[in-house]
Coordinates of all heavy atoms in Angstrom, one line a residue:
M116 N 0.8 -1.2 0.0 CA 0.0 0.0 0.0 C 0.9 1.3 0.0 O 0.6 2.2 -0.7 CB -0.9 0.0 1.2 CG -1.9 1.1 1.3 SD -3.2 0.8 0.1 CE -4.5 1.7 0.7
S117 N 1.9 1.2 0.8 CA 2.8 2.4 0.9 C 3.5 2.7 -0.5 O 3.7 3.9 -0.8 CB 3.8 2.3 2.0 OG 4.8 1.3 1.7
I118 N 3.8 1.7 -1.2 CA 4.4 1.9 -2.5 C 3.5 2.6 -3.5 O 3.9 3.5 -4.2 CB 4.9 0.5 -3.1 CG1 6.0 -0.1 -2.3 CG2 5.3 0.7 -4.6 CD1 6.3 -1.5 -2.7
V119 N 2.2 2.2 -3.5 CA 1.2 2.9 -4.3 C 1.1 4.3 -3.9 O 1.0 5.2 -4.8 CB -0.1 2.1 -4.2 CG1 -1.2 2.9 -5.0 CG2 0.0 0.7 -4.8
L120 N 1.0 4.6 -2.6 CA 0.8 6.0 -2.1 C 2.0 6.8 -2.4 O 1.9 8.0 -2.8 CB 0.5 6.0 -0.6 CG -0.9 5.4 -0.3 CD1 -1.1 5.3 1.2 CD2 -2.0 6.1 -0.9
T121 N 3.2 6.2 -2.3 CA 4.5 7.0 -2.6 C 4.5 7.3 -4.1 O 4.9 8.4 -4.4 CB 5.7 6.1 -2.2 OG1 5.6 5.8 -0.8 CG2 7.0 6.9 -2.5
G122 N 4.1 6.4 -4.9 CA 4.1 6.6 -6.3 C 3.1 7.7 -6.7 O 3.4 8.6 -7.6
A123 N 1.9 7.7 -6.1 CA 0.9 8.7 -6.4 C 1.4 10.1 -5.9 O 1.2 11.1 -6.6 CB -0.4 8.3 -5.7
A124 N 2.1 10.1 -4.8 CA 2.6 11.4 -4.3 C 3.7 12.0 -5.2 O 3.7 13.2 -5.5 CB 3.2 11.2 -2.9
R125 N 4.5 11.1 -5.7 CA 5.6 11.5 -6.7 C 4.9 12.0 -8.0 O 5.4 13.0 -8.6 CB 6.6 10.4 -6.9 CG 7.5 10.2 -5.8 CD 8.5 9.1 -6.1 NE 9.4 8.8 -5.0 CZ 10.1 7.8 -4.9 NH1 10.2 6.9 -5.9 NH2 10.9 7.6 -3.8
R126 N 3.9 11.3 -8.4 CA 3.2 11.7 -9.7 C 2.6 13.1 -9.5 O 2.7 14.0 -10.4 CB 2.1 10.7 -10.0 CG 1.3 11.1 -11.3 CD 0.2 10.1 -11.6 NE -0.6 9.8 -10.4 CZ -1.6 10.5 -10.0 NH1 -1.9 11.7 -10.6 NH2 -2.3 10.1 -9.0
I127 N 2.0 13.4 -8.4 CA 1.4 14.6 -8.1 C 2.4 15.7 -8.0 O 2.2 16.8 -8.6 CB 0.5 14.6 -6.8 CG1 -0.7 13.7 -7.0 CG2 0.1 16.0 -6.4 CD1 -1.5 13.4 -5.8
E128 N 3.5 15.5 -7.4 CA 4.6 16.4 -7.3 C 5.2 16.7 -8.7 O 5.5 17.9 -9.0 CB 5.8 15.9 -6.4 CG 5.5 15.9 -5.0 CD 6.5 15.3 -4.1 OE1 7.6 15.0 -4.7 OE2 6.3 15.1 -2.9
R129 N 5.3 15.7 -9.5 CA 5.8 15.9 -10.9 C 4.9 16.7 -11.7 O 5.3 17.6 -12.5 CB 6.0 14.5 -11.5 CG 7.0 14.4 -12.7 CD 7.3 13.0 -13.1 NE 6.1 12.2 -13.2 CZ 5.9 11.1 -12.5 NH1 6.7 10.7 -11.6 NH2 4.8 10.4 -12.6
E130 N 3.5 16.5 -11.6 CA 2.5 17.2 -12.3 C 2.5 18.7 -11.9 O 2.4 19.6 -12.7 CB 1.2 16.6 -12.1 CG 1.0 15.3 -12.9 CD -0.3 14.6 -12.5 OE1 -1.1 15.1 -11.6 OE2 -0.6 13.6 -13.2
Q131 N 2.7 18.9 -10.6 CA 2.7 20.3 -10.0 C 3.9 21.0 -10.6 O 3.8 22.2 -10.9 CB 2.7 20.3 -8.5 CG 2.6 21.6 -7.9 CD 2.6 21.6 -6.4 OE1 2.6 20.6 -5.8 NE2 2.5 22.8 -5.8
L132 N 5.1 20.4 -10.6 CA 6.3 21.0 -11.1 C 6.1 21.3 -12.6 O 6.5 22.4 -13.0 CB 7.5 20.1 -10.9 CG 8.8 20.6 -11.4 CD1 9.2 21.9 -10.7 CD2 9.9 19.5 -11.3
F133 N 5.5 20.4 -13.4 CA 5.3 20.7 -14.8 C 4.4 21.9 -14.9 O 4.6 22.8 -15.8 CB 4.6 19.5 -15.4 CG 4.2 19.7 -16.9 CD1 5.2 19.8 -17.9 CD2 2.9 19.9 -17.2 CE1 4.8 20.0 -19.2 CE2 2.5 20.2 -18.5 CZ 3.5 20.2 -19.5
N134 N 3.3 22.0 -14.2 CA 2.4 23.1 -14.2 C 3.1 24.4 -13.8 O 2.8 25.5 -14.4 CB 1.1 22.9 -13.4 CG 0.2 21.8 -14.0 OD1 0.3 21.6 -15.2 ND2 -0.5 21.2 -13.1
D135 N 3.9 24.4 -12.8 CA 4.6 25.6 -12.4 C 5.6 26.0 -13.5 O 5.7 27.2 -13.7 CB 5.4 25.3 -11.1 CG 4.6 25.1 -9.9 OD1 3.4 25.5 -9.9 OD2 5.1 24.7 -8.8
Q136 N 6.3 25.1 -14.1 CA 7.2 25.5 -15.2 C 6.5 26.0 -16.4 O 6.9 27.0 -17.0 CB 8.0 24.3 -15.6 CG 9.1 23.9 -14.6 CD 9.8 22.6 -15.0 OE1 9.3 21.8 -15.8 NE2 11.0 22.4 -14.4
L137 N 5.3 25.5 -16.7 CA 4.5 26.0 -17.8 C 4.0 27.4 -17.5 O 4.2 28.3 -18.4 CB 3.3 25.1 -18.0 CG 2.4 25.4 -19.2 CD1 3.1 25.4 -20.5 CD2 1.2 24.5 -19.2
A138 N 3.6 27.7 -16.3 CA 3.1 29.0 -15.9 C 4.3 30.0 -15.9 O 4.2 31.1 -16.4 CB 2.5 29.0 -14.6
Y139 N 5.4 29.5 -15.5 CA 6.6 30.4 -15.4 C 7.1 30.8 -16.9 O 7.3 31.9 -17.1 CB 7.8 29.7 -14.7 CG 9.1 30.4 -14.7 CD1 9.3 31.5 -13.8 CD2 10.1 30.1 -15.6 CE1 10.5 32.2 -13.8 CE2 11.3 30.9 -15.7 CZ 11.5 31.9 -14.8 OH 12.6 32.6 -14.8
K140 N 7.1 29.8 -17.7 CA 7.6 30.1 -19.1 C 6.6 31.0 -19.8 O 7.0 31.9 -20.6 CB 7.7 28.7 -19.9 CG 9.0 28.0 -19.5 CD 10.2 28.8 -19.8 CE 11.5 28.0 -19.5 NZ 12.6 28.9 -19.7
T141 N 5.3 30.8 -19.6 CA 4.3 31.7 -20.2 C 4.5 33.1 -19.7 O 4.5 34.0 -20.5 CB 2.9 31.2 -19.8 OG1 2.7 29.8 -20.3 CG2 1.8 32.0 -20.5
A142 N 4.7 33.3 -18.4 CA 4.9 34.6 -17.8 C 6.2 35.2 -18.4 O 6.3 36.4 -18.6 CB 4.9 34.5 -16.3
E143 N 7.2 34.4 -18.5 CA 8.5 34.9 -19.0 C 8.4 35.3 -20.5 O 8.9 36.4 -20.8 CB 9.5 33.7 -18.9 CG 10.9 34.2 -19.3 CD 11.9 33.0 -19.1 OE1 11.6 31.9 -19.4 OE2 13.1 33.3 -18.8
L144 N 7.6 34.6 -21.3 CA 7.4 35.0 -22.7 C 6.7 36.4 -22.7 O 7.0 37.2 -23.6 CB 6.7 34.0 -23.5 CG 7.6 32.7 -23.8 CD1 6.7 31.6 -24.4 CD2 8.7 33.1 -24.7
V145 N 5.7 36.5 -21.9 CA 4.9 37.8 -21.9 C 5.8 38.9 -21.4 O 5.8 40.0 -22.0 CB 3.7 37.6 -20.9 CG1 3.0 39.0 -20.7 CG2 2.7 36.7 -21.5
M146 N 6.6 38.6 -20.4 CA 7.6 39.6 -19.9 C 8.6 40.1 -21.0 O 8.9 41.2 -21.1 CB 8.3 39.1 -18.7 CG 9.2 40.1 -18.0 SD 8.2 41.3 -17.1 CE 9.3 41.7 -15.8
I147 N 9.1 39.1 -21.8 CA 10.0 39.4 -22.8 C 9.4 40.3 -23.9 O 10.0 41.2 -24.4 CB 10.6 38.1 -23.4 CG1 11.6 37.5 -22.4 CG2 11.4 38.4 -24.7 CD1 12.0 36.1 -22.8
G148 N 8.1 40.0 -24.2 CA 7.5 40.7 -25.3 C 7.1 42.1 -24.9 O 7.1 43.0 -25.8
Y149 N 6.8 42.4 -23.7 CA 6.2 43.7 -23.3 C 7.0 44.5 -22.3 O 6.7 45.6 -22.1 CB 4.8 43.5 -22.8 CG 3.8 42.9 -23.9 CD1 3.4 41.6 -23.8 CD2 3.4 43.7 -24.9 CE1 2.6 41.1 -24.8 CE2 2.6 43.2 -25.9 CZ 2.2 41.9 -25.8 OH 1.4 41.4 -26.8
H150 N 7.9 43.8 -21.6 CA 8.5 44.5 -20.5 C 10.0 44.3 -20.5 O 10.6 43.9 -21.5 CB 8.0 44.0 -19.1 CG 6.5 44.2 -19.0 ND1 5.8 45.4 -18.9 CD2 5.5 43.2 -19.1 CE1 4.5 45.2 -18.9 NE2 4.3 43.9 -19.0
K151 N 10.7 44.5 -19.4 CA 12.1 44.3 -19.3 C 12.5 42.9 -18.9 O 12.2 42.5 -17.7 CB 12.7 45.3 -18.3 CG 12.6 46.7 -18.7 CD 13.1 47.7 -17.7 CE 12.9 49.1 -18.2 NZ 13.3 50.1 -17.2
P152 N 13.0 42.0 -19.8 CA 13.2 40.6 -19.5 C 14.3 40.4 -18.5 O 14.3 39.3 -17.8 CB 13.6 40.0 -20.8 CG 14.1 41.1 -21.6 CD 13.4 42.3 -21.2
K153 N 15.2 41.3 -18.3 CA 16.3 41.1 -17.3 C 15.9 41.2 -15.9 O 16.6 40.7 -15.0 CB 17.5 42.1 -17.6 CG 18.1 41.8 -18.9 CD 19.3 42.6 -19.1 CE 19.9 42.2 -20.5 NZ 21.2 42.9 -20.8
K154 N 14.7 41.7 -15.6 CA 14.2 41.9 -14.3 C 13.4 40.6 -13.8 O 12.9 40.6 -12.7 CB 13.3 43.1 -14.1 CG 14.1 44.4 -14.2 CD 13.2 45.6 -13.8 CE 14.1 46.8 -13.7 NZ 13.2 48.0 -13.3
F155 N 13.2 39.7 -14.7 CA 12.4 38.5 -14.4 C 13.2 37.6 -13.5 O 14.3 37.3 -13.7 CB 12.0 37.8 -15.7 CG 10.8 37.0 -15.6 CD1 9.5 37.6 -15.4 CD2 10.8 35.6 -15.6 CE1 8.4 36.9 -15.3 CE2 9.6 34.9 -15.4 CZ 8.4 35.5 -15.3
P156 N 12.6 37.1 -12.4 CA 13.3 36.3 -11.4 C 13.5 34.9 -11.9 O 12.8 34.4 -12.8 CB 12.4 36.3 -10.2 CG 11.0 36.5 -10.7 CD 11.2 37.4 -11.9
P157 N 14.6 34.2 -11.5 CA 14.8 32.8 -11.9 C 13.7 31.9 -11.4 O 13.1 32.2 -10.4 CB 16.2 32.5 -11.3 CG 16.4 33.5 -10.3 CD 15.6 34.7 -10.6
F158 N 13.5 30.8 -12.1 CA 12.5 29.8 -11.7 C 12.6 29.3 -10.3 O 11.6 29.1 -9.6 CB 12.4 28.7 -12.7 CG 11.4 27.6 -12.4 CD1 10.1 27.9 -12.5 CD2 11.8 26.4 -11.9 CE1 9.1 27.0 -12.2 CE2 10.8 25.4 -11.6 CZ 9.5 25.7 -11.8
R159 N 13.8 29.0 -9.9 CA 14.0 28.5 -8.6 C 13.5 29.4 -7.4 O 13.1 28.9 -6.4 CB 15.5 28.1 -8.3 CG 16.0 27.0 -9.2 CD 17.4 26.8 -9.0 NE 17.9 25.9 -10.1 CZ 18.6 24.8 -9.9 NH1 19.0 24.5 -8.7 NH2 19.0 24.0 -10.9
K160 N 13.5 30.7 -7.7 CA 13.1 31.6 -6.7 C 11.5 31.6 -6.5 O 11.0 31.8 -5.5 CB 13.5 33.0 -7.0 CG 14.9 33.3 -6.5 CD 15.1 34.8 -6.6 CE 16.4 35.2 -5.8 NZ 16.6 36.6 -5.8
V161 N 10.9 31.4 -7.6 CA 9.4 31.4 -7.6 C 8.7 30.1 -7.6 O 7.5 30.0 -7.5 CB 8.9 32.3 -8.8 CG1 9.3 33.7 -8.7 CG2 9.3 31.7 -10.1
A162 N 9.5 29.0 -7.7 CA 8.9 27.7 -7.8 C 8.2 27.4 -6.4 O 8.7 27.7 -5.3 CB 9.9 26.6 -8.1
S163 N 7.0 26.7 -6.5 CA 6.3 26.4 -5.3 C 6.7 25.1 -4.7 O 6.4 24.8 -3.5 CB 4.8 26.3 -5.6 OG 4.5 25.3 -6.4
S164 N 7.4 24.2 -5.4 CA 7.8 22.9 -4.9 C 9.1 23.1 -4.1 O 10.1 23.7 -4.5 CB 8.0 21.9 -6.0 OG 9.0 22.4 -6.9
K165 N 9.1 22.6 -2.9 CA 10.2 22.6 -2.0 C 10.6 21.1 -1.7 O 9.7 20.2 -1.7 CB 9.9 23.3 -0.7 CG 9.3 24.7 -0.9 CD 10.4 25.7 -0.9 CE 9.8 27.1 -0.8 NZ 10.1 27.9 -1.9
K166 N 11.8 20.9 -1.3 CA 12.2 19.6 -0.9 C 11.6 19.3 0.4 O 11.6 20.0 1.4 CB 13.7 19.5 -0.7 CG 14.5 19.6 -2.0 CD 14.6 18.3 -2.6 CE 15.5 18.3 -3.9 NZ 15.5 17.0 -4.5
R167 N 10.9 18.1 0.5 CA 10.3 17.7 1.7 C 11.3 16.9 2.5 O 12.1 16.1 2.0 CB 9.1 16.8 1.4 CG 8.0 17.4 0.8 CD 6.8 16.6 0.7 NE 7.1 15.2 0.3 CZ 6.3 14.2 0.3 NH1 5.1 14.3 0.8 NH2 6.7 13.0 -0.1
R168 N 11.3 17.1 3.8 CA 12.2 16.4 4.7 C 11.4 15.1 5.2 O 10.2 15.2 5.3 CB 12.7 17.2 5.8 CG 11.7 17.8 6.7 CD 12.3 18.8 7.7 NE 11.3 19.7 8.2 CZ 10.7 19.5 9.4 NH1 11.0 18.4 10.1 NH2 9.8 20.3 9.8
K169 N 12.2 14.1 5.5 CA 11.5 12.9 5.9 C 10.9 13.1 7.3 O 11.6 13.6 8.2 CB 12.5 11.7 6.0 CG 12.6 11.0 4.7 CD 13.3 9.6 4.9 CE 13.0 8.8 3.7 NZ 13.6 7.5 3.9
A170 N 9.7 12.6 7.5 CA 9.1 12.7 8.8 C 9.7 11.6 9.7 O 10.1 10.5 9.3 CB 7.6 12.5 8.6
K171 N 9.7 11.9 11.0 CA 10.1 10.9 12.0 C 9.1 9.8 12.1 O 7.9 10.0 12.0 CB 10.3 11.6 13.3 CG 11.5 12.6 13.4 CD 11.6 13.1 14.8 CE 12.7 14.1 14.9 NZ 12.8 14.6 16.3
R172 N 9.6 8.6 12.2 CA 8.7 7.5 12.4 C 8.1 7.5 13.8 O 8.7 7.9 14.8 CB 9.5 6.2 12.2 CG 9.9 6.0 10.7 CD 10.6 4.7 10.5 NE 9.7 3.6 10.7 CZ 8.9 3.1 9.7 NH1 8.9 3.6 8.5 NH2 8.1 2.0 10.0
Q173 N 6.8 7.1 13.8 CA 6.1 7.1 15.1 C 6.4 5.9 15.9 O 6.7 4.8 15.3 CB 4.6 7.2 14.9 CG 4.1 8.5 14.3 CD 2.6 8.4 14.0 OE1 2.0 7.3 13.9 NE2 2.0 9.6 14.0
T174 N 6.5 6.0 17.2 CA 6.6 4.8 18.0 C 5.3 4.1 18.1 O 4.2 4.7 17.8 CB 7.1 5.2 19.4 OG1 6.1 6.0 20.1 CG2 8.4 6.0 19.4
W175 N 5.3 2.9 18.6 CA 4.0 2.2 18.7 C 3.1 2.8 19.8 O 1.9 2.8 19.6 CB 4.3 0.7 19.0 CG 4.9 0.4 20.4 CD1 6.2 0.3 20.7 CD2 4.2 0.2 21.6 NE1 6.4 0.0 22.0 CE2 5.1 -0.1 22.6 CE3 2.8 0.2 21.9 CZ2 4.8 -0.3 23.9 CZ3 2.5 -0.1 23.2 CH2 3.4 -0.3 24.2
Q176 N 3.7 3.5 20.8 CA 2.9 4.2 21.8 C 2.2 5.3 21.2 O 1.0 5.6 21.5 CB 3.8 4.7 22.9 CG 4.4 3.6 23.8 CD 5.8 3.1 23.3 OE1 6.2 3.5 22.2 NE2 6.5 2.4 24.1
Q177 N 2.8 6.1 20.3 CA 2.2 7.2 19.6 C 1.1 6.7 18.7 O 0.0 7.3 18.6 CB 3.2 8.0 18.8 CG 4.2 8.8 19.7 CD 5.3 9.4 18.8 OE1 5.7 8.8 17.8 NE2 5.8 10.5 19.3
Q178 N 1.3 5.6 18.0 CA 0.3 5.1 17.1 C -0.9 4.6 17.9 O -2.1 4.7 17.5 CB 0.9 3.9 16.3 CG 1.9 4.4 15.2 CD 2.5 3.2 14.5 OE1 2.2 2.1 14.7 NE2 3.3 3.6 13.5
K179 N -0.7 4.0 19.1 CA -1.7 3.5 19.9 C -2.6 4.7 20.4 O -3.8 4.6 20.5 CB -1.2 2.7 21.1 CG -2.2 2.2 22.1 CD -1.6 1.4 23.2 CE -2.7 1.0 24.2 NZ -2.1 0.3 25.4
E180 N -1.9 5.8 20.8 CA -2.6 7.0 21.3 C -3.5 7.6 20.2 O -4.7 7.9 20.5 CB -1.6 8.1 21.7 CG -0.9 7.7 23.0 CD 0.2 8.8 23.4 OE1 0.2 9.9 22.7 OE2 1.0 8.5 24.3
I181 N -3.0 7.6 19.0 CA -3.8 8.1 17.9 C -5.0 7.2 17.6 O -6.1 7.7 17.4 CB -2.9 8.3 16.6 CG1 -1.9 9.4 16.8 CG2 -3.8 8.6 15.4 CD1 -0.8 9.5 15.8
A182 N -4.8 5.9 17.6 CA -5.9 5.0 17.4 C -7.0 5.2 18.5 O -8.2 5.1 18.3 CB -5.4 3.5 17.4
M183 N -6.5 5.4 19.8 CA -7.5 5.6 20.9 C -8.2 6.9 20.7 O -9.4 6.9 21.0 CB -6.7 5.5 22.2 CG -6.2 4.1 22.6 SD -5.2 4.1 24.0 CE -6.4 4.5 25.3
M184 N -7.6 7.9 20.2 CA -8.3 9.2 20.0 C -9.3 9.1 18.9 O -10.4 9.6 19.0 CB -7.3 10.3 19.6 CG -6.5 10.8 20.8 SD -5.5 12.3 20.4 CE -4.2 11.6 19.4
F185 N -9.0 8.3 17.8 CA -10.0 8.1 16.7 C -11.1 7.3 17.2 O -12.3 7.6 16.9 CB -9.3 7.4 15.5 CG -8.7 8.3 14.5 CD1 -7.3 8.2 14.3 CD2 -9.5 9.2 13.8 CE1 -6.8 9.1 13.4 CE2 -8.9 10.1 12.9 CZ -7.5 10.0 12.7
N186 N -10.8 6.3 18.0 CA -11.9 5.4 18.6 C -12.8 6.3 19.5 O -14.1 6.2 19.4 CB -11.2 4.3 19.4 CG -12.3 3.3 19.9 OD1 -13.3 3.1 19.3 ND2 -12.0 2.7 21.0
A187 N -12.3 7.2 20.3 CA -13.1 8.0 21.2 C -13.9 9.0 20.4 O -15.0 9.3 20.7 CB -12.2 8.7 22.2
A188 N -13.3 9.6 19.3 CA -13.9 10.6 18.5 C -15.1 10.0 17.7 O -16.1 10.7 17.5 CB -12.9 11.2 17.5
F189 N -15.1 8.7 17.4 CA -16.2 8.1 16.6 C -17.1 7.3 17.5 O -17.8 6.4 17.0 CB -15.6 7.3 15.5 CG -15.0 8.1 14.4 CD1 -13.7 8.2 14.2 CD2 -15.8 8.9 13.6 CE1 -13.1 9.0 13.2 CE2 -15.3 9.7 12.6 CZ -13.9 9.8 12.4
G190 N -17.0 7.5 18.8 CA -18.0 6.9 19.7 C -17.7 5.5 20.2 O -18.5 4.8 20.7
G191 N -16.5 5.1 20.1 CA -16.1 3.7 20.5 C -15.8 3.7 22.0 O -15.6 4.8 22.6
K192 N -15.7 2.5 22.6 CA -15.3 2.4 24.0 C -13.8 2.6 24.1 O -13.0 2.0 23.3 CB -15.7 1.0 24.5 CG -17.2 0.8 24.7 CD -17.4 -0.5 25.3 CE -18.9 -0.7 25.5 NZ -19.2 -2.0 26.1
V193 N -13.4 3.4 25.1 CA -12.0 3.6 25.4 C -11.6 2.7 26.5 O -12.1 2.8 27.6 CB -11.7 5.1 25.7 CG1 -10.2 5.3 26.0 CG2 -12.2 5.9 24.6
T194 N -10.7 1.8 26.2 CA -10.1 0.9 27.3 C -8.6 1.0 27.3 O -8.0 1.2 26.2 CB -10.5 -0.6 27.0 OG1 -10.0 -1.0 25.8 CG2 -12.0 -0.8 27.1
E195 N -8.0 1.0 28.4 CA -6.6 1.1 28.5 C -5.9 -0.1 29.0 O -6.4 -1.0 29.4 CB -6.2 2.3 29.4 CG -6.8 3.6 28.9 CD -6.2 4.8 29.7 OE1 -5.1 4.6 30.2 OE2 -6.8 5.8 29.7

């Protein structure tokens, strides 16, 4: 399951980067045609995609606490 979700997340990031580059190039072409092209910022400064850092893995105690919170939120019995 995690492989599928990782692949989907990478696909979404790739599509977002493509859309960002397309919008940047369109704006750059408009800028070249009508304004001063040397004042246009580089793509890396305006790109919305940032490198994600790896999240810390949860301990089993943290996972248990979260499961208990979901159980209580949806009306289940809370036992310890």
Side-chain angles (χ1 to χ4, degrees):
M116 186 73 155
S117 69
I118 293 171
V119 172
L120 293 176
T121 302
R125 286 183 183 166
R126 176 183 49 82
I127 291 169
E128 287 175 7
R129 203 171 45 243
E130 289 173 353
Q131 183 178 3
L132 180 62
F133 175 76
N134 290 335
D135 288 349
Q136 287 175 339
L137 181 63
Y139 176 81
K140 287 296 179 185
T141 303
E143 186 179 33
L144 289 172
V145 169
M146 185 74 151
I147 288 171
Y149 296 105
H150 305 288
K151 297 178 182 176
K153 293 187 179 186
K154 289 188 175 183
F155 205 70
F158 177 71
R159 291 178 192 229
K160 276 191 166 182
V161 295
S163 64
S164 59
K165 306 270 190 241
K166 289 278 186 180
R167 294 186 316 167
R168 55 186 163 97
K169 271 197 164 180
K171 290 183 181 178
R172 293 186 63 89
Q173 293 177 337
T174 63
W175 67 269
Q176 292 93 347
Q177 291 170 328
Q178 291 178 356
K179 182 180 176 185
E180 288 175 14
I181 292 170
M183 289 173 69
M184 284 190 288
F185 273 116
N186 187 27
F189 291 108
K192 288 184 180 178
V193 178
T194 58
E195 298 192 25

